[in-house]
């Protein structure tokens, strides 16, 4: 398995469920984007979308279950292929150069179950599978999993195998939790190693994956399964204990001296987020809060850690608007629109809302909620 195979994140900021896009749903989506756009200067750790999910680690499908390999079925030959990776299971490899912000995957779930249930989980998964066609069932059973008792024969306990697969691969999908066979092949990387992020779109009933960075043909597409803004040993210990793998991503594989420097940057970034959050309690001034954002931005640049920048810029716009600094609000909103477009797609409602704020800073719902002062943009 890569550096890892993962269970996905647990939280989601997804909007209320809908079916197909229409004007009403788009309005509702934009309203929620408006509420979210810098809605708490404290929601820095990717609470847009990509920190939304249940993580996944897995192992190769047991050989005694004769199910078809559906790697050929679940791929887009123009963008990526699913391949066996020596010693690491399956992974997604770029079939061509992929540009930052490009849509890599748009996938609807095989099925969705509620977040909370009162019936037997195994029975619920079994019932959900019974409604699928053969190809979809094979796609499901071809996924990796952990947590199945070693003393049991998988062939004789397919319901328990199915539950293990679901628990390993399930992703939060709006008001429920779903299975996405293609995106489930994304493996893990820490800090600067991961290059794609994913989010749920309620209005499309689909999960989308976008390239956070330019990706070269032949490179593996990696996402992240956890908050990696912590030292290497802490990351590895957590991932080993929770997901059963020893991370060997490019960041975890750095020589000790470089790793220590990376660790210091990541810890400092995390500490700075805490300090930025203290603006909400008026512990620091607006100008001080924006200076902290600049420091975070510079540290991220040095580390190559580009995730969460859309939200960070939106939160900075929140601070600037609160202090009625129109120029700074516009600058940060423009940055938010740019980085949201990479992380969530240029057609995201969050991009639309950020562009609206950039055009008319005083339309920000927090405008003038704190005493007026100049706080400044990214460059002062």
């Amino acid at each position: 398995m890569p550096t890892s195979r993962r269970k996905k994140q647990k939280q989601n900021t997804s909007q209320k469920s809908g079916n197909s896009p229409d004007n009403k749903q788009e309005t509702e989506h934009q309203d929620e984007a408006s509420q979210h756009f810098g809605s708490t200067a404290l929601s820095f750790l990717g609470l847009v979308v990509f920190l939304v999910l249940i993580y996944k680690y897995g192992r190769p499908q047991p050989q005694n279950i004769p199910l078809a390999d559906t790697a050929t079925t679940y791929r887009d030959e123009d963008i990526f292929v699913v391949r066996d990776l020596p010693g690491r299971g399956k992974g997604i490899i770029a079939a061509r150069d992929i540009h930052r912000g490009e849509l890599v995957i748009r996938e609807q779930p095989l099925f969705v179950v509620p977040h909370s249930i009162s019936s037997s989980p195994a029975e619920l998964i079994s019932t959900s599978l019974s409604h699928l066609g053969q190809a979809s069932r094979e796609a499901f059973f071809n996924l990796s999993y952990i947590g199945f008792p070693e003393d049991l024969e998988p062939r004789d306990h397919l319901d328990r195998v199915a539950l293990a697969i679901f628990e390993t691969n399930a992703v939060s999908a709006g008001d429920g939790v779903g299975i996405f066979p293609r995106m489930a092949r994304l493996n893990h990387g820490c800090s600067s190693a991961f290059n794609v992020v994913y989010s749920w779109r309620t209005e499309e009933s689909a999960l989308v994956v976008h390239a956070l960075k330019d990706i070269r043909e032949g490179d593996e597409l990696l996402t992240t399964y956890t908050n990696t803004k912590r030292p290497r040993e802490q990351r590895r210990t957590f991932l080993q204990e929770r997901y059963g793998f020893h991370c060997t991503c490019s960041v975890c594989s750095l020589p000790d001296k470089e790793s220590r420097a990376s660790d210091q940057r990541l810890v400092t970034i995390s500490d700075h987020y805490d300090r930025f959050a203290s603006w909400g309690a008026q512990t620091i001034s607006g100008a001080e809060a924006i200076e902290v954002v600049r420091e975070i931005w510079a540290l991220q640049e040095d580390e190559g850690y580009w995730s969460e920048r859309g939200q960070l810029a939106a939160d900075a716009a929140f601070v600037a608007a609160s202090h009625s600094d129109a120029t700074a609000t516009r600058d940060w909103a423009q940055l938010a629109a740019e980085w949201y477009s990479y992380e969530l797609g240029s057609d995201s409602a969050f991009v639309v809302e950020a562009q609206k704020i950039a055009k008319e800073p005083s339309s920000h719902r927090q405008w003038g909620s704190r005493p007026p002062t100049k706080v400044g943009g990214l460059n002062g």
Side-chain angles (χ1 to χ4, degrees), residues 146-212:
I146 59 171
F148 187 83
E150 296 289 341
D151 59 338
L152 295 182
E153 174 65 40
R155 185 190 300 275
D156 298 333
H157 299 275
L158 284 181
D159 284 357
R160 294 188 65 171
V161 170
L163 180 59
I165 290 173
F166 185 84
E167 290 176 337
T168 302
N169 295 277
V171 172
S172 184
D175 293 334
V177 182
I179 287 288
F180 303 82
R182 283 191 295 164
M183 75 83 58
R185 296 302 184 189
L186 289 170
N187 292 322
H188 166 81
C190 294
S191 179
S192 61
F194 71 93
N195 51 23
V196 300
V197 291
Y198 53 88
S199 58
W200 171 254
R201 290 189 172 185
T202 297
E203 71 279 11
E204 299 175 23
S205 297
L207 184 141
V208 293
V209 179
H210 289 87
L212 183 62

Side-chain angles (χ1 to χ4, degrees), residues 337-350:
E338 176 186 354
W339 284 92
Y340 273 145
S341 73
Y342 302 145
E343 298 167 309
L344 306 178
S346 60
D347 57 343
S348 165
F350 297 106

